[in-house]
Amino acid sequence: MNARQELIVKNVDKHRQMILDAERWLWAHPQTGFTEWEAHEYCKKVFEDLGYELTIPDNIPGFYADLDTGKPGPKLCIMGELDALDIANHPESVNGMTHSCGHHGQMAALLGIAAALKEPGALDGLSGSIRLMAVPAEEMIQLAFREELRKKGVISYMGGKVEFMHRGYFDDVDISLMVHGAAFGPDSEFAFACGRGNNGCLAKTIRYKGKSSHAGGAPSRGINAQYAAMLGLQACNDLRETFPDKDMIRFHPIMKGVNCAVNIIPDEMVIETYVRGNNIDAIKRENVKINRALTGAALAMGAGVELHDRPGYSPEYHDTDFMKLVEACCKDLVGEDKVRFNYESIGAGSSDFGDLTCVMPGVQFNAAGASGTGHGIDYFITDPDKLCVNSAKAQIFVAEALLENGAEKAKSIIENYKPQFASIKEYFEFADKLFLDKDAVVYGENGQVTIDYMNV
């Protein structure tokens, strides 16, 4: 550890109690995506008390603040996520919500970063600027609620970072960084880990439409939307062996339930799901097969089916040179034996951080300190020093390494990066083509049927 890194450690440790207090407060006040107003206000006050001038959206939670070194150079964005999960059976659930993915720990770390970077000399020798950003709605959940927000014009896209991209908050950002908390198991001795990237996803809402009737007295006069949905999901399950292993396709639907009594043939069944994969072409290809299967099941039952596809998250791929820099910084902080970086592994989950890596170099690495199962009822942060305090130090180590010496390393990574899309504008032109809203089966006179499940 060099003298500058020792100063970073000292600056973060000065605010250790604030970080730990924030982790506990945010844990106790969970809210899901685009409703995280309590966390927004708490974190906003900390930033403002530190003297930051914030840019705040007028109708959704979240904000960002810029810290300029006074010397020209690239802009690094460091992020934390505000949202929790709706997981009512967690023993510490609040109003049915819990931070079972540890985003509150990320935000506590971001507050520590904000405080440490305000300490005297913290920006000495650096070039460019740092954007600190609190982002809403990383979890792609509650699709019906988000669709209502979209219809009202509150949001245009379902994920927080994607919405922030759409609003121009990343237009002048050149490179991005964040830490995600992770539960590596009780016997884990390491502190930081990182893989090559993560799956992307397409978000889907499927609405089977039937005809209600008396379930006992006149079932022949009804069309059972629940049976049609079950048949559609079985058809999708029967497709699983056709998904190439190399594409890491995942399809995990949930049936939202019927809205009628037990003695009525259900006339509606709504399903929410994703199609995940590690490349965009595979997601699009397998989604066509899934839509075909869902449509065929509706036709078999004489039911209707509405298909609603929304651009979810793009596959996340970390820049190799940037990963190596992050790995070196983590080793400087905690030692080589406590760092696990794998340059080949792809995670099967998805994050809107992937949408950023489509247009700029970025790394999202993991900090230990949680126990249990991510998104599970046994998830807790058991070592906040490891997950929150250490991750704040590691992220500032990375910022220092990128922006020192005239931001030489940041400039090199940015210059050599080959993004999937040449610009944010080009990215959105692609994403907008993924929207689909269709009645896939239309019944005409004399038994005629029109089928259309394609996104054109």
Side-chain angles (χ1 to χ4, degrees):
M1 197 180 299
N2 60 37
R4 286 291 300 176
Q5 291 172 330
E6 289 175 354
L7 177 63
I8 291 168
V9 169
K10 178 182 176 182
N11 287 344
V12 173
D13 282 340
K14 183 176 179 180
H15 301 280
R16 173 179 175 273
Q17 193 57 52
M18 181 270 286
I19 296 171
L20 299 181
D21 290 345
E23 185 272 325
R24 285 293 82 197
W25 192 95
L26 292 167
W27 170 265
H29 296 81
Q31 292 176 299
T32 51
F34 294 120
T35 72
E36 314 99 315
W37 292 110
E38 289 183 317
H40 167 95
E41 290 297 332
Y42 180 94
C43 296
K44 172 176 170 286
K45 184 177 187 307
V46 173
F47 267 80
E48 290 177 338
D49 288 348
L50 289 167
Y52 284 95
E53 183 177 334
L54 303 182
T55 297
I56 304 173
D58 60 1
N59 57 357
I60 59 173
F63 57 82
Y64 71 83
D66 285 336
L67 200 58
D68 201 306
T69 66
K71 297 179 181 179
K75 185 182 293 292
L76 164 67
C77 185
I78 303 177
M79 284 158 281
E81 295 165 342
L82 293 164
D83 58 323
L85 288 158
D86 47 355
I87 179 166
N89 289 335
H90 193 287
E92 295 188 15
S93 169
V94 178
N95 297 322
M97 297 171 286
T98 320
H99 273 293
S100 289
C101 203
H103 293 180
H104 69 297
Q106 301 171 22
M107 281 307 306
L110 188 70
L111 298 180
I113 293 168
L117 289 178
K118 282 289 189 177
E119 290 295 320
L123 301 179
D124 288 356
L126 305 185
S127 298
S129 60
I130 300 171
R131 175 163 292 173
L132 303 177
M133 183 178 286
V135 190
E138 186 275 337
E139 304 289 354
M140 179 64 74
I141 60 174
Q142 300 173 331
L143 300 184
F145 167 69
R146 297 191 190 190
E147 184 63 17
E148 284 300 311
L149 292 182
R150 203 180 72 83
K151 288 178 179 177
K152 292 175 182 177
V154 176
I155 61 173
S156 297
Y157 297 90
M158 308 293 251
K161 297 183 192 66
V162 187
E163 182 66 19
F164 271 28
M165 288 173 69
H166 174 67
R167 296 185 183 212
Y169 298 165
F170 287 95
D171 285 356
D172 55 347
V173 172
D174 301 292
I175 187 168
S176 54
L177 174 73
M178 66 175 291
V179 165
H180 201 293
F184 294 126
D187 299 324
S188 172
E189 294 297 325
F190 59 96
F192 297 109
C194 187
R196 177 78 168 121
N198 288 295
N199 269 357
C201 70
L202 183 75
K204 300 177 68 65
T205 300
I206 304 133
R207 179 173 174 255
Y208 279 95
K209 299 179 291 185
K211 181 181 178 183
S212 59
S213 181
H214 195 293
S220 61
R221 297 174 62 183
I223 298 173
N224 195 313
Q226 178 174 276
Y227 289 173
M230 293 167 64
L231 188 62
L233 295 185
Q234 183 59 52
C236 292
N237 285 333
D238 290 343
L239 285 172
R240 290 184 189 276
E241 66 182 22
T242 73
F243 301 155
D245 292 343
K246 63 182 178 61
D247 295 324
M248 294 179 62
I249 301 297
R250 299 289 189 274
F251 177 71
H252 45 87
I254 57 169
M255 300 174 75
K256 302 295 287 184
V258 299
N259 57 358
C260 65
V262 69
N263 58 355
I264 299 173
I265 298 293
D267 64 356
E268 181 182 67
M269 175 60 75
V270 175
I271 299 168
E272 290 185 359
T273 188
Y274 304 159
V275 177
R276 301 187 196 250
N278 62 24
N279 67 89
I280 289 171
D281 289 341
I283 293 171
K284 291 169 62 178
R285 182 190 67 236
E286 303 307 326
N287 185 60
V288 169
K289 289 160 60 175
I290 285 169
N291 280 351
R292 184 185 65 206
L294 296 168
T295 301
L299 180 61
M301 293 295 297
V305 61
E306 294 176 4
L307 303 175
H308 302 280
D309 291 349
R310 297 290 178 264
Y313 300 151
S314 297
E316 177 180 329
Y317 281 92
H318 303 147
D319 177 74
T320 300
D321 290 339
F322 194 4
M323 273 186 72
K324 290 178 180 177
L325 181 144
V326 174
E327 182 180 20
C329 289
C330 290
K331 289 178 178 178
D332 286 345
L333 179 63
V334 298
E336 185 171 355
D337 60 329
K338 294 183 179 179
V339 178
R340 301 284 189 275
F341 275 52
N342 186 323
Y343 290 79
E344 302 297 328
S345 68
I346 301 294
S350 306
S351 167
D352 52 2
F353 193 83
D355 299 278
L356 295 177
T357 65
C358 278
V359 297
M360 69 180 71
V363 171
Q364 177 178 205
F365 63 111
N366 294 316
S371 64
T373 307
H375 290 214
I377 62 172
D378 58 347
Y379 184 93
F380 294 92
I381 289 184
T382 49
D383 191 339
D385 274 300
K386 213 176 200 182
L387 195 147
C388 306
V389 180
N390 263 10
S391 73
K393 295 172 183 175
Q395 289 174 89
I396 303 178
F397 273 30
V398 173
E400 178 89 13
L402 286 170
L403 301 181
E404 66 184 355
N405 300 321
E408 177 183 3
K409 291 181 179 177
K411 290 176 180 177
S412 175
I413 291 169
I414 295 163
E415 181 180 353
N416 293 316
Y417 188 63
K418 295 179 174 57
Q420 187 159 359
F421 299 97
S423 65
I424 290 176
K425 180 177 180 291
E426 185 179 299
Y427 159 81
F428 279 114
E429 289 173 352
F430 159 79
D432 287 346
K433 294 176 182 177
L434 298 177
F435 281 91
L436 172 68
D437 293 285
K438 280 189 176 177
D439 269 309
V441 181
V442 178
Y443 297 93
E445 297 180 359
N446 303 319
Q448 294 177 335
V449 181
T450 300
I451 295 173
D452 183 3
Y453 53 84
M454 298 295 291
N455 189 347
V456 295

